[in-house]
C-alpha cells in the first residue's frame, strides 16, 4: 500500500459524517450541473439525455453526491462511475449516497489511471487528485482518453502562491516524522505546529484553514507525502499535452490582470501570459478550479452572453436581492475567503437581473422589459460579464 493510499484509509478526506446528508447538501465547484452546462456544453445541453459521468478520485463523495442529487431532484437521467484508491473513503461515499437513496452509481475501488476500461464519459470530475499522483501527467492523459468526443473535464489542482508556507512545513514534517504511523505523524506534527513562531509564512497566510477543520484536513494539508502545486502555465501545458484545452477557470475575473494594472501598463495579449501575470500579482489563489474540453472545442464550449436563447441562472445569490442592491448602489460586494471585491454593475441592469428565474431565456427577458435585442445586450453584457467573472451567473437549460 502506498503512503497516499494509507493516508486516506486512516484519514478519509474531506471528513464527512453520512448522517449529515439528512440536513444539508454540500455544493461547490466543479461539478454542479449548471456549471458543467455553462462551461462544457455552451449552456445548451439536452438534459433529457442521460449524462454519463466519472468521478475520478472521488474521496468521501462531495462531487458525486452533488452531481447525483441535483440531477435526481429534477428527475434527469444519469449514470455515474465513482473510483477511488481508498476503501474507507468509498464506504463513506456509499453511505452518503444510500442515505439519500441515490441510484445509478457504480462504486469502484481502484486507480484513475485505469478508467479507460469503463468506457467513454460525457463528463469527468477530478477534484484535488492529480497533484497527488506520482506522475500527474499520466493522470491527465488517462482522463483525456476517457472523454467522449464532445465531453468535458472539471478539475481542481493546488496553486502555489496562495498556499504560501505549506510546502516548507510538508518537507520538514517529512524529514522529522518519516516512518511513523499516520496517527503518530499527526500527533507529533500538531505539537510541532503549536510551537511555530507567529512570523512563519504559514501562520501569516489567512487563506488556509483546512488544518483547523479536522484531523483529516490537517493531515491532507501539512503531512501529505505527495503534493505538487500547479501554476496557470503548468495547467495549460499539462492539459495541452493530453490533447485538452482550458475552457475557463470558474472565476475568470481572478485571472484577468487588467484591474491590477495602472493606466498605460497593458496586460499581455497571450491568454496564458495574462493569466500567469494575474496569478502572480494576486498571490492569493490557492486552488485552480476550471473546465477543459478537447483543444479544438475549447474556444466554443463556454456559454455566450449575447445568445438570446440562453437561460441565465444565479449561483449563490438571490436575483431579486441582487437587483435591489444594483439599483440602489450600482455595485455588489463579493467575499472570496479573506479577499473582498466590489463589483461595479450598471444600475440600468437591475430590472433585467430581477427577471432571472432559471426559466426565462435572455430573449424572453428582453421582451418582458420591452427592450430590443441590441439595447438589451448593451445593458445585459457588462452586468453579465461582471457576475460571470466570479461564478455568480451561469447559463443552462436545466431547470433546478
Amino acid at each position: 500500500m502506498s503512503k497516499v493510499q494509507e493516508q486516506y484509509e486512516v484519514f478519509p478526506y474531506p471528513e464527512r459524517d453520512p448522517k449529515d446528508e439528512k440536513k444539508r447538501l454540500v455544493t461547490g465547484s466543479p461539478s454542479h450541473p449548471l456549471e458543467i452546462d455553462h462551461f462544457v456544453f455552451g449552456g445548451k445541453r439536452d438534459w433529457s439525455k442521460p449524462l454519463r459521468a466519472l468521478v475520478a478520485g472521488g474521496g468521501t463523495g462531495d462531487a458525486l453526491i452533488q452531481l447525483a442529487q441535483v440531477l435526481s431532484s429534477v428527475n434527469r437521467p444519469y449514470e455515474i462511475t465513482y473510483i477511488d484508491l481508498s476503501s474507507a473513503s468509498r464506504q463513506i461515499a456509499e453511505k452518503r449516497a444510500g442515505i439519500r437513496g441515490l441510484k445509478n452509481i457504480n462504486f469502484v475501488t481502484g486507480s484513475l489511471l485505469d478508467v479507460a476500461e469503463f468506457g467513454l464519459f460525457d463528463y469527468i470530475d477530478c477534484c484535488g487528485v492529480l497533484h497527488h499522483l506520482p506522475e500527474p501527467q499520466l493522470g491527465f492523459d488517462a482522463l483525456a482518453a476517457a472523454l467522449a468526443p464532445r465531453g468535458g473535464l472539471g478539475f481542481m489542482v493546488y496553486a502555489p502562491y496562495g498556499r504560501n508556507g505549506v510546502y516548507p512545513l510538508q518537507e520538514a514534517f517529512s524529514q522529522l516524522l518519516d516512518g511513523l504511523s499516520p496517527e503518530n505523524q499527526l500527533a507529533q506534527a500538531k505539537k510541532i505546529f503549536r510551537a511555530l513562531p507567529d512570523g512563519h509564512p504559514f501562520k501569516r497566510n489567512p487563506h488556509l484553514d483546512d488544518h483547523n477543520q479536522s484531523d483529516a484536513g490537517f493531515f491532507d494539508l501539512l503531512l501529505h507525502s505527495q503534493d505538487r502545486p500547479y501554476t496557470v502555465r503548468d495547467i495549460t501545458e499539462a492539459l495541452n499535452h493530453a490533447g485538452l484545452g482550458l475552457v475557463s477557470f470558474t472565476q475568470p475575473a481572478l485571472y484577468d490582470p487588467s484591474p491590477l494594472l495602472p493606466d498605460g501598463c497593458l496586460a499581455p495579449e497571450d491568454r496564458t501570459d495574462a493569466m500567469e501575470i494575474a496569478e502572480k500579482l494576486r498571490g492569493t489563489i490557492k486552488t485552480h478550479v476550471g473546465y477543459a474540453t478537447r483543444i479544438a472545442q475549447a474556444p466554443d464550449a463556454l456559454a455566450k452572453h449575447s445568445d438570446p436563447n440562453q437561460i441565465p441562472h444565479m449561483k449563490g445569490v438571490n436575483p431579486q436581492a441582487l437587483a435591489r442592491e444594483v439599483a440602489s448602489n450600482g455595485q455588489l460586494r463579493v467575499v472570496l475567503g479573506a479577499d473582498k471585491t466590489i463589483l461595479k454593475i450598471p444600475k440600468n441592469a437591475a430590472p433585467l437581473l430581477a427577471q432571472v428565474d432559471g426559466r426565462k431565456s435572455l430573449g424572453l427577458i428582453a421582451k418582458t422589459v420591452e427592450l430590443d435585442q441590441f439595447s438589451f445586450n448593451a445593458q445585459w453584457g457588462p452586468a453579465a460579464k461582471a457576475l460571470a467573472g466570479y461564478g455568480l451567473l451561469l447559463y443552462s437549460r436545466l431547470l433546478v
Side-chain angles (χ1 to χ4, degrees):
M1 181 185 299
S2 69
K3 289 183 178 180
V4 172
Q5 184 176 357
E6 181 183 22
Q7 170 189 331
Y8 291 122
E9 294 293 355
V10 178
F11 297 110
Y13 179 80
E15 188 171 297
R16 295 288 184 246
D17 183 347
K19 295 178 182 178
D20 290 340
E21 298 307 313
K22 295 180 179 179
K23 58 186 180 183
R24 62 95 175 90
L25 173 66
V26 177
T27 60
S29 299
S31 297
H32 191 287
L34 294 179
E35 207 175 74
I36 295 170
D37 202 350
H38 179 90
F39 288 105
V40 174
F41 300 109
K44 298 179 179 181
R45 188 178 194 278
D46 180 357
W47 290 95
S48 67
K49 297 179 179 178
L51 179 75
R52 192 160 195 273
L54 168 70
V55 180
T60 50
D62 282 1
L64 167 72
I65 300 301
Q66 172 181 235
L67 183 55
Q69 183 62 69
V70 172
L71 292 179
S72 293
S73 296
V74 293
N75 197 30
R76 289 294 178 255
Y78 64 85
E79 298 174 6
I80 303 176
T81 296
Y82 160 106
I83 187 168
D84 197 276
L85 280 175
S86 166
S87 58
S89 297
R90 169 184 166 170
Q91 288 173 12
I92 293 172
E94 282 192 278
K95 287 180 181 178
R96 294 174 67 185
I99 287 175
R100 289 182 173 273
L102 299 173
K103 308 296 184 183
N104 301 322
I105 302 172
N106 176 31
F107 287 94
V108 179
T109 300
S111 169
L112 68 79
L113 298 179
D114 301 323
V115 296
E117 66 186 72
F118 300 105
L120 299 179
F121 297 90
D122 304 312
Y123 176 69
I124 296 176
D125 167 282
C126 192
C127 186
V129 182
L130 291 162
H131 47 238
H132 292 320
L133 297 178
E135 297 182 62
Q137 189 60 54
L138 295 180
F140 281 96
D141 296 346
L143 297 178
L147 274 180
R150 301 295 300 181
L153 167 71
F155 65 86
M156 184 279 275
V157 293
Y158 292 147
Y161 309 125
R163 284 164 64 85
N164 187 33
V166 168
Y167 295 101
L169 286 182
Q170 283 188 2
E171 292 174 7
F173 288 149
S174 177
Q175 289 178 272
L176 289 168
L177 308 176
D178 186 46
L180 298 181
S181 68
E183 296 90 343
N184 285 334
Q185 286 184 52
L186 177 67
Q188 293 300 317
K190 283 189 170 183
K191 292 178 182 178
I192 298 170
F193 183 82
R194 287 193 290 269
L196 292 178
D198 291 338
H200 191 283
F202 182 92
K203 286 201 167 183
R204 297 176 66 85
N205 187 340
H207 307 285
L208 303 169
D209 62 357
D210 277 10
H211 59 297
N212 293 320
Q213 302 302 314
S214 64
D215 286 348
F218 188 105
F219 204 108
D220 196 76
L221 182 65
L222 294 175
L223 287 164
H224 211 292
S225 61
Q226 207 158 260
D227 179 341
R228 64 148 294 181
Y230 277 76
T231 64
V232 166
R233 188 167 297 280
D234 292 335
I235 295 169
T236 302
E237 292 177 351
L239 289 171
N240 290 171
H241 185 279
L244 302 177
L246 175 69
V247 175
S248 177
F249 293 111
T250 57
Q251 295 180 323
L254 296 180
Y255 297 84
D256 178 7
S258 300
L260 306 174
L261 301 178
D263 292 342
C265 184
L266 300 179
E269 292 186 8
D270 179 81
R271 182 193 187 201
T272 301
D273 289 345
M275 292 192 295
E276 183 178 44
I277 291 293
E279 180 183 16
K280 291 176 178 177
L281 292 179
R282 290 191 181 279
T284 59
I285 298 174
K286 62 180 182 178
T287 61
H288 295 299
V289 184
Y291 289 86
T293 60
R294 300 198 183 283
I295 288 177
Q297 298 164 12
D300 301 318
L302 187 63
K304 308 297 190 295
H305 297 305
S306 59
D307 184 345
N309 296 312
Q310 293 284 14
I311 299 176
H313 300 251
M314 293 297 178
K315 182 183 179 186
V317 60
N318 179 277
Q320 284 68 44
L322 169 61
R324 289 193 295 269
E325 184 71 16
V326 170
S328 175
N329 302 312
Q331 62 184 32
L332 177 69
R333 184 170 178 264
V334 177
V335 179
L336 301 171
D339 291 338
K340 299 177 180 61
T341 299
I342 300 296
L343 297 186
K344 294 183 179 180
I345 302 175
K347 291 185 177 182
N348 64 4
L352 284 57
L353 296 170
Q355 291 293 323
V356 174
D357 60 5
R359 283 160 174 75
K360 295 189 191 79
S361 67
L362 294 181
L364 182 54
I365 292 175
K367 183 179 293 187
T368 302
V369 297
E370 300 182 332
L371 288 174
D372 62 76
Q373 203 61 48
F374 181 83
S375 300
F376 176 83
N377 288 343
Q379 295 181 27
W380 176 257
K385 182 179 179 181
L387 293 169
Y390 285 89
L392 301 175
L393 175 70
L394 302 167
Y395 296 105
S396 174
R397 294 176 180 175
L398 181 67
L399 302 181
V400 297

